[in-house]
Amino acid sequence: QSSVTIYGRLDASVGSNKAGAPGVAKSVSQLESGLLSTSRLGFRGTEDLGGGMKAIFQLEGELKVDDGTAAGFSFNRMSIVGLQAGFGTIKLGRHDTSFDDIRDISVSSNLWDSEFSPTKVAYVNSVGGVAVAHVADYSSRASNQIRYESPSFGGFTAGVSYGFDEQAAPVKRDVTALNVRYRAGGLDAGIGYQEQDNEVAASKREYTTIAGAYNFGMFRVSGGYNKAEQGTLESTGYTIGANMPVDAWDFSVGYATNKSELAGVTSAKSSGFSAGATYSLSKRTRVYAAFLNGKAENAAGTKIADRKLYAVGVRHDF
Amino acid sequence: QSSVTIYGRLDASVGSNKAGAPGVAKSVSQLESGLLSTSRLGFRGTEDLGGGMKAIFQLEGELKVDDGTAAGFSFNRMSIVGLQAGFGTIKLGRHDTSFDDIRDISVSSNLWDSEFSPTKVAYVNSVGGVAVAHVADYSSRASNQIRYESPSFGGFTAGVSYGFDEQAAPVKRDVTALNVRYRAGGLDAGIGYQEQDNEVAASKREYTTIAGAYNFGMFRVSGGYNKAEQGTLESTGYTIGANMPVDAWDFSVGYATNKSELAGVTSAKSSGFSAGATYSLSKRTRVYAAFLNGKAENAAGTKIADRKLYAVGVRHDF
Amino acid sequence: QSSVTIYGRLDASVGSNKAGAPGVAKSVSQLESGLLSTSRLGFRGTEDLGGGMKAIFQLEGELKVDDGTAAGFSFNRMSIVGLQAGFGTIKLGRHDTSFDDIRDISVSSNLWDSEFSPTKVAYVNSVGGVAVAHVADYSSRASNQIRYESPSFGGFTAGVSYGFDEQAAPVKRDVTALNVRYRAGGLDAGIGYQEQDNEVAASKREYTTIAGAYNFGMFRVSGGYNKAEQGTLESTGYTIGANMPVDAWDFSVGYATNKSELAGVTSAKSSGFSAGATYSLSKRTRVYAAFLNGKAENAAGTKIADRKLYAVGVRHDF
């Protein structure tokens, strides 16, 4: 028992959500789990193997505080065992892709990478069940994955992840991702690439992202560029955000926009704006209020879907 | 890890169960989980936030010792995060309703609120698959729930819980409950109300209960009145029980009866009797033996179902 | 929390698997969980009740490191509460059968009772989806089980397990198992019997096994005989293995063969060979490489299926 740490985060809020076609979608009052950050429960540990080498493991699953995780608890967020040494870190199992690390930078000050982040409405191809002609957003995790993270060379790190499809040919569903990242002083920036292969060429998806964040002390900004490609459909998005701590408060605003072209002709446009504040009751507990407002347009520039999300909640770490 | 406590209870027994139509239902030998009290595994913690305020969380799921919880483990019993202060306690998530607290008092000395409690055969609308014309018993828990518990005012507390249906209108499935409770010396008594709303008026259900328990020192008694209403169907039930500790033993007997009227005409009658004893091997471990015997009658007074449950088992807390 | 120990094992590997009809089955690259030993997470504890009596519990579930246990975590490996005293140990719940203890001895030095053990290809009635005319191998666990293990009498122990089917007659699906085991010095040997009853006589299955292992110090050997019967189909198998520790290394080789007769006429033959090595980075962490190579023949002696499994991996205990 000395070798395992139990940890978790519980995030619950009361608010309303409205998503779908204008004039059709209805506002729904809700008690939600995980809007500021995903509720979770995990087990992790490290063993010193000597000679600078460590064995590491982490098991982490999503909790749905609102319904008791009715679908059943699993370790869907992270499930890895690995080795860490001078050569870097190798992790085997289910894990974020290397691309995901960079996408996370781009929204790190944009409503704290939460469900309120405007990319959650701007970068998706379905809003409240209404299809939007963007490339589907990337898969942030993959199963059957081997992942390597380099040590830091003067602030630079590189990472690569590969998820086996575990299917016999001709099926090709491997997920491959790469990143290069630079961290120094208040700067955190990187580029990432992810390929979600498919035996049908028109179903293969590729993602490229460039992201950065800078901490000015008084406040912090983050932003990024994101390109998604599938066949002749190409989506190009941008996001920017800022957060400013004031005593126990932390205020944040964010914006994201995304535009798609099918064979060079505009097929969809989306954008989102959000704002929020958290108030820390302690290092481990904070209350918060936030909202997200976004919309999607079709090729003709007509609004086909919008989303309004409001909530006040509490988040507790253990 | 200092901030989380792991706890649990494992209850397994060997016995037999027979439930259903007389002459048709067959006795089945079984190794069961949770007859004396539900087997469970949980994680909980408290953080002192200063100024008399605390953050609290609790995650608790049912275990099926007999099959390894084959349906998958979740936190179906309790999954909450909340704040506690001078004003009382607020909990968000999945939780018992406020009504359930009072119903629990009524059977607290009636076979210790176990599966042997005769209300488990008298208050239900199905015995071994045979429909009995009572209003279905209340839902003891609700998801998407916000719950408030007042501090004690001279022994009096009040509570309210509200579970969002999280459905767009016209669906109306909210679960609302209230209680008022008085505790002083050996007395614990209260009244509770619960409404399980429905957009179809004939499907809406309402429950009212009055319950009390008194500890005489040598022995303890509990009892309660319960009314359930759905459209023109109304079920009225009573339960009473007593338990008496003698050295390491604790003996208990209980009785419950329930009668329903559809538009004022008797539609069903049920009753149950049970008795049992536990023997403590330690504070955390006890062995037990108990039985439950109950029956249901239709409008004509003909017995349409009975249930006989016997078991000897062991319960261990950790 | 003082009364519960959290423990686990994570085993992940990269390799390939090919199983099925020759010329049809394709090799699939994979990141697998649990090839050297099943990945798991568990909670266990013991309470001293005085007078030489103890209460025990154990909850243990399989982890799939590769996909985050996507099917949902449960306590499918072990879920028991019990009492231990001078008379022996009684366990209630889901558990290995008493027969399984003996079968485990037979492969304890045969690729360390892993997925590489050649019995995993020789004793089964399906290889990569191709049916092989053997009796299906035994069920290693049963739900609804009561299990007794005697204390040691001069090295001898005996065990019996009984799993209720919990079905009304005429269904008969109880699982009954017995063992007698002798342990002294470097020797560990035993006999076991298991009956998987069925209301249809032709579906009832019986298993008998004799197994032994001896530790010569420099190396260790294990082996066993196994007979499986279902109606007029009878399968007879043998397995043998050896492992030799050399510094931090542990090398192992193993072989298994199985032959079936339907009403006295040969219906199938299978055999497997495997070899592997583990290298300990610490007491709790080792890396490994291993392979398994096996095949199955039909009544005519024609090869109808083969399996080739290769992997290099890491296993970490916590």
Side-chain angles (χ1 to χ4, degrees):
Chain A
Q1 188 160 0
S2 60
S3 58
V4 53
T5 300
I6 304 174
Y7 66 95
R9 172 171 284 183
L10 295 170
D11 178 332
S13 60
V14 174
S16 77
N17 184 40
K18 183 172 144 180
V24 176
K26 287 179 177 167
S27 182
V28 174
S29 297
Q30 56 184 14
L31 187 137
E32 275 293 281
S33 174
L35 290 186
L36 184 62
S37 40
T38 306
S39 300
R40 67 198 70 174
L41 174 67
F43 303 84
R44 68 178 167 224
T46 301
E47 184 196 14
D48 195 332
L49 299 170
M53 193 180 271
K54 283 179 189 175
I56 57 171
F57 79 90
Q58 189 161 1
L59 296 166
E60 184 179 300
E62 181 178 1
L63 294 175
K64 287 289 202 180
V65 181
D66 52 355
D67 69 4
T69 316
F73 185 73
S74 69
F75 297 102
N76 50 1
R77 288 178 52 82
M78 197 178 312
S79 174
I80 60 107
V81 57
L83 294 172
Q84 208 162 40
F87 60 76
T89 304
I90 292 178
K91 296 171 180 171
L92 304 179
R94 181 169 171 83
H95 199 289
D96 295 344
T97 68
S98 294
F99 178 86
D100 184 61
D101 292 11
I102 308 304
R103 271 287 293 271
D104 283 353
I105 297 172
S106 68
V107 288
S108 55
S109 289
N110 185 339
L111 275 286
W112 317 281
D113 189 14
S114 72
E115 187 61 27
F116 299 104
S117 167
T119 56
K120 293 293 174 78
V121 65
Y123 285 13
V124 298
N125 66 345
S126 172
V127 174
V130 177
V132 182
H134 293 311
V135 178
D137 206 6
Y138 76 114
S139 299
S140 59
R141 291 180 179 82
S143 290
N144 310 311
Q145 195 171 243
I146 180 163
R147 185 181 150 134
Y148 167 75
E149 294 156 17
S150 83
S152 176
F153 298 102
F156 278 98
T157 58
V160 56
S161 63
Y162 179 74
F164 292 90
D165 60 9
E166 298 195 350
Q167 311 253 20
V171 177
K172 275 173 62 182
R173 301 280 173 97
D174 300 327
V175 177
T176 312
L178 306 164
N179 75 41
V180 178
R181 187 170 185 171
Y182 180 72
R183 275 172 281 197
L187 181 65
D188 187 353
I191 58 172
Y193 170 79
Q194 180 162 317
E195 181 194 89
Q196 300 178 198
D197 209 354
N198 199 292
E199 64 279 9
V200 178
S203 296
K204 174 179 166 176
R205 303 205 301 255
E206 288 175 280
Y207 303 89
T208 311
T209 198
I210 302 173
Y214 194 85
N215 191 343
F216 290 91
M218 286 279 287
F219 62 100
R220 193 178 179 283
V221 293
S222 70
Y225 156 85
N226 189 70
K227 191 164 80 173
E229 295 165 279
Q230 180 178 350
T232 57
L233 183 61
E234 187 175 307
S235 302
T236 308
Y238 300 90
T239 184
I240 187 163
N243 71 295
M244 183 167 63
V246 179
D247 301 328
W249 292 93
D250 190 7
F251 297 93
S252 183
V253 291
Y255 177 75
T257 180
N258 194 26
K259 182 185 168 183
S260 293
E261 292 186 344
L262 184 63
V265 179
T266 298
S267 62
K269 280 186 193 172
S270 297
S271 64
F273 171 77
S274 55
T278 71
Y279 180 84
S280 295
L281 298 171
S282 76
K283 288 212 166 185
R284 289 168 41 204
T285 306
R286 59 183 59 191
V287 291
Y288 64 88
F291 79 89
L292 163 66
N293 203 335
K295 64 169 190 209
E297 295 172 1
N298 63 10
T302 306
K303 186 166 80 171
I304 55 170
D306 53 14
R307 183 174 186 203
K308 290 185 206 306
L309 174 68
Y310 301 84
V312 296
V314 60
R315 187 182 85 181
H316 174 68
D317 293 346
F318 60 92
Chain B
Q1 187 160 358
S2 59
S3 57
V4 54
T5 298
I6 303 174
Y7 66 95
R9 173 170 284 184
L10 294 170
D11 178 331
S13 60
V14 175
S16 77
N17 186 38
K18 183 172 145 180
V24 175
K26 286 179 179 167
S27 181
V28 173
S29 297
Q30 56 185 13
L31 187 136
E32 274 293 281
S33 174
L35 290 187
L36 184 62
S37 41
T38 306
S39 301
R40 66 197 71 172
L41 174 67
F43 303 85
R44 67 179 168 224
T46 301
E47 184 195 13
D48 194 332
L49 299 170
M53 192 181 273
K54 283 179 188 175
I56 57 170
F57 80 90
Q58 189 161 0
L59 296 165
E60 184 179 301
E62 180 178 1
L63 293 175
K64 287 288 201 181
V65 181
D66 52 355
D67 68 6
T69 316
F73 185 74
S74 69
F75 297 102
N76 50 1
R77 287 178 53 83
M78 197 179 311
S79 171
I80 60 107
V81 58
L83 294 172
Q84 207 163 40
F87 59 76
T89 304
I90 293 177
K91 296 172 180 172
L92 305 178
R94 179 168 173 83
H95 199 290
D96 295 343
T97 67
S98 294
F99 177 85
D100 183 62
D101 292 13
I102 308 305
R103 271 286 294 270
D104 283 353
I105 297 172
S106 68
V107 287
S108 55
S109 290
N110 186 338
L111 275 286
W112 316 282
D113 189 13
S114 71
E115 187 62 26
F116 299 103
S117 166
T119 58
K120 294 294 174 77
V121 66
Y123 285 15
V124 299
N125 67 343
S126 172
V127 174
V130 176
V132 182
H134 294 312
V135 178
D137 206 6
Y138 75 115
S139 300
S140 58
R141 293 179 177 83
S143 290
N144 311 309
Q145 195 172 243
I146 181 163
R147 184 180 151 134
Y148 167 75
E149 294 156 18
S150 84
S152 176
F153 299 101
F156 279 97
T157 57
V160 56
S161 62
Y162 179 74
F164 292 91
D165 62 8
E166 298 195 348
Q167 311 254 20
V171 177
K172 275 173 63 181
R173 303 278 173 98
D174 300 326
V175 176
T176 310
L178 307 163
N179 75 42
V180 177
R181 188 170 184 171
Y182 180 71
R183 275 172 282 199
L187 180 65
D188 185 355
I191 59 171
Y193 169 78
Q194 180 162 316
E195 181 195 89
Q196 299 176 198
D197 209 354
N198 199 292
E199 65 278 8
V200 178
S203 297
K204 174 179 165 176
R205 303 205 300 256
E206 289 175 279
Y207 302 88
T208 310
T209 199
I210 302 172
Y214 193 84
N215 191 343
F216 291 92
M218 286 279 287
F219 62 99
R220 195 179 177 281
V221 294
S222 69
Y225 156 84
N226 188 70
K227 189 165 81 173
E229 295 165 279
Q230 180 178 349
T232 58
L233 184 61
E234 189 175 306
S235 303
T236 308
Y238 300 90
T239 182
I240 187 162
N243 71 293
M244 182 167 64
V246 180
D247 300 327
W249 292 92
D250 191 8
F251 298 92
S252 185
V253 291
Y255 176 75
T257 179
N258 195 25
K259 181 183 167 183
S260 293
E261 293 185 343
L262 184 64
V265 179
T266 298
S267 60
K269 281 185 191 174
S270 297
S271 63
F273 172 76
S274 53
T278 71
Y279 181 84
S280 294
L281 298 172
S282 76
K283 287 212 167 186
R284 290 168 43 206
T285 305
R286 61 183 60 191
V287 290
Y288 63 90
F291 79 89
L292 164 64
N293 203 335
K295 64 169 191 211
E297 296 172 0
N298 62 12
T302 306
K303 185 166 79 168
I304 55 170
D306 53 16
R307 184 174 185 202
K308 291 184 204 306
L309 174 68
Y310 300 86
V312 295
V314 59
R315 186 181 88 180
H316 175 69
D317 292 347
F318 60 91
Chain C
Q1 187 161 357
S2 60
S3 59
V4 54
T5 299
I6 304 174
Y7 66 94
R9 172 170 285 184
L10 295 169
D11 177 331
S13 61
V14 175
S16 77
N17 186 39
K18 184 171 144 181
V24 176
K26 286 178 179 169
S27 181
V28 173
S29 298
Q30 57 184 12
L31 188 136
E32 276 293 282
S33 174
L35 290 187
L36 184 62
S37 41
T38 306
S39 300
R40 65 196 73 172
L41 174 67
F43 303 84
R44 67 178 169 225
T46 301
E47 184 196 14
D48 194 331
L49 299 171
M53 193 180 273
K54 284 178 187 175
I56 57 171
F57 79 91
Q58 188 161 1
L59 296 166
E60 183 179 299
E62 181 177 1
L63 294 174
K64 286 288 201 182
V65 181
D66 52 356
D67 69 5
T69 316
F73 184 73
S74 69
F75 297 102
N76 50 1
R77 287 178 53 83
M78 197 179 311
S79 173
I80 60 108
V81 58
L83 294 172
Q84 208 163 39
F87 59 75
T89 304
I90 292 176
K91 297 172 178 170
L92 304 179
R94 180 169 172 82
H95 198 290
D96 296 343
T97 66
S98 295
F99 177 84
D100 184 61
D101 292 12
I102 309 303
R103 269 288 293 269
D104 283 353
I105 298 172
S106 68
V107 289
S108 56
S109 289
N110 186 339
L111 274 287
W112 317 281
D113 190 13
S114 71
E115 187 61 26
F116 299 104
S117 166
T119 56
K120 294 294 173 78
V121 66
Y123 285 13
V124 298
N125 66 344
S126 171
V127 174
V130 176
V132 181
H134 294 311
V135 177
D137 206 6
Y138 76 114
S139 299
S140 58
R141 293 181 178 82
S143 290
N144 310 312
Q145 196 173 242
I146 180 163
R147 185 182 149 133
Y148 167 74
E149 294 156 18
S150 83
S152 177
F153 298 101
F156 279 96
T157 58
V160 57
S161 62
Y162 179 74
F164 292 91
D165 60 9
E166 298 194 351
Q167 310 255 19
V171 176
K172 275 174 62 182
R173 301 281 173 97
D174 300 326
V175 177
T176 311
L178 307 164
N179 75 40
V180 177
R181 188 170 183 170
Y182 180 71
R183 274 172 284 198
L187 179 66
D188 187 354
I191 59 172
Y193 169 78
Q194 181 162 317
E195 180 193 90
Q196 298 177 199
D197 209 354
N198 199 291
E199 65 278 10
V200 178
S203 297
K204 173 179 167 177
R205 303 205 300 256
E206 288 175 279
Y207 302 88
T208 310
T209 198
I210 303 172
Y214 195 84
N215 191 343
F216 290 92
M218 285 279 287
F219 62 100
R220 195 178 178 281
V221 294
S222 70
Y225 155 85
N226 189 69
K227 189 164 81 173
E229 296 165 278
Q230 180 178 350
T232 57
L233 182 61
E234 188 174 306
S235 302
T236 309
Y238 299 91
T239 183
I240 187 162
N243 72 294
M244 183 168 62
V246 181
D247 300 328
W249 292 93
D250 191 7
F251 298 92
S252 184
V253 292
Y255 176 75
T257 180
N258 195 24
K259 182 183 166 182
S260 293
E261 292 185 345
L262 184 63
V265 179
T266 299
S267 61
K269 281 186 193 172
S270 297
S271 65
F273 172 77
S274 54
T278 71
Y279 180 85
S280 294
L281 298 171
S282 76
K283 286 212 169 187
R284 289 168 43 205
T285 306
R286 58 183 61 191
V287 290
Y288 64 89
F291 80 89
L292 164 65
N293 203 336
K295 63 170 191 211
E297 295 173 1
N298 64 12
T302 306
K303 185 166 80 168
I304 56 170
D306 53 16
R307 184 172 185 205
K308 290 183 203 310
L309 175 68
Y310 300 86
V312 295
V314 60
R315 186 182 87 180
H316 175 68
D317 292 347
F318 60 91

